[in-house]
């Protein structure tokens, strides 16, 4: 049972994952025998040459509470604690506090989820910034959802969405109405066990604006994966992912504007992930 933000997750992942365009990205993950998890992620922006990075450490106590510490090269340290099924079965509680490396308090947030049977409710409060809530209700293969975000921003103090989704073994369809002024629709189709296809369309009637992106993923017999996506701006994205050895994954990606083949609008990207 997905939460509201994940109603169209299959399409989102198809059109986003592995397209590390404009960056050179390195990820290293490991987990010790005692259960301590560690993750390092760094990437170099090809335009600015900036190299931001972050480290993440996680461990779960005997009582079932998971603690996570995230250090960012931006000079922040986030401490998170999360627990499942502590209040009642199906609940998840998360609390996070962020500090600067100088020890100053930077922010805090709290999240709560409840999922059981045909219902999934979630909420999030970011101290001094926003409060959001979402809900999804299941009716057979159909899902009905809504979300509301109240923000301290003067530009968008209140945003709301409503969605209807349909999920089957090889087909997922989701349509959303956003703020009563925009529509979004997505389709994910598992054409064969090795071929996935997807489409996402955004339409804003007031602005007479229509954008669309179509994509596909093909798993090859050698274990590698080839992906493409194409949008109404006539940008063609290509990605190729393969395992170099157990625990080592290489990703290559590019974005080409097919109407300007001689321009500097083309972008390359690469990712390398180690898992142990």
């Amino acid at each position: 049972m997905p939460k509201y933000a994940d109603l169209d997750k299959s399409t989102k992942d198809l059109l986003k994952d592995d397209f590390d365009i404009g960056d050179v990205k390195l990820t290293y993950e490991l987990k010790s025998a005692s259960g301590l998890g560690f993750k390092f992620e760094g990437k170099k922006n090809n335009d600015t040459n900036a190299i931001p990075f972050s480290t993440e450490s996680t461990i779960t106590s005997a009582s079932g509470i998971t603690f996570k510490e995230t250090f960012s090269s931006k000079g922040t340290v986030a401490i998170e604690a999360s627990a499942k099924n502590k209040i009642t079965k199906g609940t998840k509680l998360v609390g996070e506090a962020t500090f600067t490396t100088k020890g100053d308090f930077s922010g805090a947030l709290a999240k709560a989820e409840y999922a059981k049977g045909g219902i999934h409710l979630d909420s999030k409060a970011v101290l001094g910034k926003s409060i959001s809530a979402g809900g999804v209700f299941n009716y057979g293969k159909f899902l009905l959802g809504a979300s509301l975000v109240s923000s301290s921003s003067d530009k968008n103090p209140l945003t709301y969405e409503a969605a209807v989704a349909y999920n089957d073994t090889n087909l997922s369809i989701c349509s959303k109405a956003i703020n009563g002024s925009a529509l979004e629709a997505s389709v994910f189709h598992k054409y064969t066990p090795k071929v996935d296809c997807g489409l996402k369309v955004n339409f804003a009637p007031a602005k007479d604006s229509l954008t669309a992106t179509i994509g596909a993923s093909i798993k090859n017999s050698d274990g590698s994966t080839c992906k493409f996506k194409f949008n109404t701006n006539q940008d063609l994205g290509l990605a190729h992912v393969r395992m170099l050895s157990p625990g080592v994954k290489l990703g290559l990606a590019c974005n080409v504007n097919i109407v300007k083949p001689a321009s500097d609008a083309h972008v390359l990207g690469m990712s390398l992930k180690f898992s142990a």
Side-chain angles (χ1 to χ4, degrees):
M1 184 69 178
K3 60 184 179 181
Y4 182 83
D6 292 338
L7 283 176
D8 54 353
K9 186 176 186 302
S10 296
T11 306
K12 286 180 180 177
D13 290 349
L14 176 66
L15 299 177
K16 181 180 178 181
D17 289 355
D18 303 317
F19 292 99
D20 297 305
I21 298 168
D23 297 318
V24 177
K25 183 177 177 183
L26 175 66
T27 305
Y28 183 73
E29 295 180 342
L30 64 86
K31 190 170 186 178
S32 68
S34 61
L36 174 66
F38 177 80
K39 178 181 178 181
F40 169 86
E41 184 174 288
K43 60 182 179 180
K44 174 182 176 294
N45 185 287
N46 295 337
D47 290 330
T48 64
N49 289 323
I51 310 177
F53 66 88
S54 64
T55 63
E56 182 181 292
S57 303
T58 59
I59 192 167
T60 301
S61 67
S63 61
I65 300 177
T66 299
F67 296 92
K68 180 170 71 173
E69 179 191 51
T70 304
F71 171 78
S72 168
S73 59
K74 295 179 180 179
T76 60
V77 179
I79 310 296
E80 178 188 288
S82 61
K84 294 181 179 180
N85 304 319
K86 290 298 181 181
I87 298 178
T88 186
K89 188 175 181 180
T91 59
K92 180 180 180 181
L93 302 176
V94 180
E96 179 184 291
T98 305
F99 304 87
T100 68
T101 50
K102 295 180 180 180
D104 299 325
F105 178 72
S106 179
L109 64 83
K111 294 187 287 186
E113 292 185 27
Y114 175 76
K116 189 175 182 181
I119 185 173
H120 192 136
L121 304 175
D122 67 274
S123 61
K124 178 180 178 180
V126 182
L127 185 63
K129 293 184 178 180
S130 65
I131 298 175
S132 61
V136 177
F137 305 89
N138 174 261
Y139 185 78
K141 294 182 179 181
F142 288 91
L143 299 170
L144 306 177
S147 75
L148 180 70
V149 180
S150 177
S151 172
S152 59
S153 169
D154 293 331
K155 185 177 181 180
N156 295 303
L158 185 67
T159 59
Y160 54 92
E161 298 182 8
V164 178
Y166 173 84
N167 283 338
D168 208 339
T169 306
N170 64 343
L171 180 66
S172 297
I173 302 173
C174 180
S175 61
K176 295 181 179 180
I178 304 171
N179 294 329
S181 60
L183 301 173
E184 179 180 296
S186 63
V187 179
F188 176 85
H189 182 210
K190 182 166 282 297
Y191 184 69
T192 71
K194 293 186 177 183
V195 179
D196 296 334
C197 305
L199 170 67
K200 184 175 182 179
V201 179
N202 294 88
F203 178 52
K207 299 179 180 179
D208 195 24
S209 171
L210 176 67
T211 60
T213 303
I214 188 172
S217 172
I218 302 172
K219 295 179 181 178
N220 302 310
S221 57
D222 62 358
S224 65
T225 300
C226 294
K227 301 179 68 175
F228 89 90
K229 62 180 179 179
F230 184 70
N231 61 29
T232 45
N233 292 326
Q234 301 190 60
D235 291 318
L236 174 64
L238 301 172
H240 179 76
V241 181
R242 66 166 51 244
M243 299 299 295
L244 299 181
S245 63
V248 182
K249 184 170 75 171
L250 172 67
L252 302 172
C254 70
N255 189 80
V256 179
N257 189 302
I258 63 173
V259 296
K260 300 178 180 179
S263 73
D264 294 330
H266 316 312
V267 186
L268 301 176
M270 184 181 78
S271 65
L272 187 61
K273 182 177 181 180
F274 297 88
S275 301

